[in-house]
């Protein structure tokens, strides 16, 4: 069989034909990190650390966030950038998570202002195609999984030179709609 994973931060902006039953069979929402997930991720990066240290890490993160939410990608980024740190150093340096979040927010704000300037120069009017939540990690994302079991032993799809799979029937379904944009 085949497993195809489609991710988006803006599920409501996708065409209904793209995510209808039969094309996307499973929808999984990734929410912001829970305390348990913080502890488990800490344990993955520091397998020799005591369980109490994982709890201490989650508590320290919650304290510096002050009610703000954090996504798992931000935590993973923190661990990857601190991969040479000890478990104790990782716990002591959690302020870097908030600092990184602030830096990213400022970057989005700057990019938004630059986008407005560019549109004004070009004389464009109307709404930006970007959501208020921004792109990377701004909102809880959704993973859509498409599962296809080929009917013949030989693979029904072929890979193009760019590595993407294409269907032999040209990408149209029984309604005549094309998969291609």
């Amino acid at each position: 069989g085949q497993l195809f994973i489609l991710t988006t931060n803006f599920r409501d902006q996708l065409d209904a034909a793209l995510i209808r039953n039969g094309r996307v069979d499973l929808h999984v929402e990734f929410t912001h990190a829970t305390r348990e997930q913080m502890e488990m991720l800490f344990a993955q990066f520091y397998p020799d650390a005591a369980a109490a240290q994982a709890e201490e890490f989650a508590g320290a993160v919650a304290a510096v966030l002050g009610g703000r939410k954090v996504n798992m990608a931000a935590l993973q980024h923190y661990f990857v950038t601190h991969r040479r740190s000890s478990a104790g150093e990782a716990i002591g340096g959690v302020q870097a998570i908030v600092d990184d979040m602030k830096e990213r927010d400022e970057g989005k704000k700057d990019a938004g202002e630059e986008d407005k300037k560019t549109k004004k120069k070009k004389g464009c009017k109307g709404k930006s195609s970007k959501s208020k939540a921004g792109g990377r990690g701004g909102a809880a994302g959704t993973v859509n999984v498409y599962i296809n079991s080929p009917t013949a032993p030989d693979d029904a799809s072929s890979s193009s030179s760019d590595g993407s799979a294409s269907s032999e029937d040209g990408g149209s379904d029984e309604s005549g709609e094309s998969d291609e944009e």
Side-chain angles (χ1 to χ4, degrees):
Q2 297 176 358
L3 182 66
F4 180 76
I5 298 176
L6 171 72
T7 63
T8 182
N9 286 340
F10 310 105
R11 183 176 184 266
D12 58 325
Q13 294 179 8
L14 296 176
D15 189 299
L18 178 65
I19 58 174
R20 69 175 168 77
N21 291 339
R23 291 209 176 146
V24 177
D25 298 311
L26 179 66
H27 299 260
V28 179
E29 182 178 6
F30 287 98
T31 59
H32 291 99
T34 65
R35 186 178 180 98
E36 179 184 16
Q37 289 173 320
M38 290 179 200
E39 292 173 12
M40 290 173 61
L41 193 60
F42 181 88
Q44 288 292 316
F45 279 89
Y46 298 100
D48 297 332
Q53 284 184 297
E55 293 171 10
E56 184 182 352
F57 172 79
V61 171
V64 298
L65 288 173
R68 195 171 173 189
K69 304 277 187 199
V70 65
N71 60 41
M72 292 296 287
L75 292 176
Q76 181 173 330
H77 174 75
Y78 174 75
F79 285 124
V80 169
T81 58
H82 290 79
R83 66 187 173 277
R84 300 199 192 286
S85 302
S86 69
E89 291 169 335
I91 294 167
V94 295
Q95 180 61 42
I97 296 169
V98 174
D99 295 344
D100 187 51
M101 291 169 66
K102 286 179 182 177
E103 184 179 310
R104 205 175 11 199
D105 289 345
E106 289 171 4
K108 287 180 189 176
K109 182 180 174 184
D110 292 344
E113 289 174 4
E114 186 64 33
D115 188 37
K116 286 179 186 177
K117 288 178 184 176
T118 303
K119 284 187 175 196
K120 193 172 186 176
K121 285 180 183 177
K122 292 182 179 179
C124 294
K125 294 181 182 176
K127 294 183 180 178
S128 170
S129 61
K130 290 188 177 182
S131 163
K132 289 181 183 177
R136 302 180 351 222
T142 300
V143 173
N144 301 302
V145 179
Y146 172 70
I147 302 171
N148 178 24
S149 298
T151 56
D154 61 313
D155 194 350
S157 64
S158 61
S159 293
S160 64
S161 61
D162 67 355
S164 62
S166 63
S167 175
E168 287 182 14
D169 67 359
S172 64
D173 62 12
E174 57 278 344
S175 67
E177 296 177 23
S178 175
D179 289 341
E180 299 175 18
E181 293 187 70

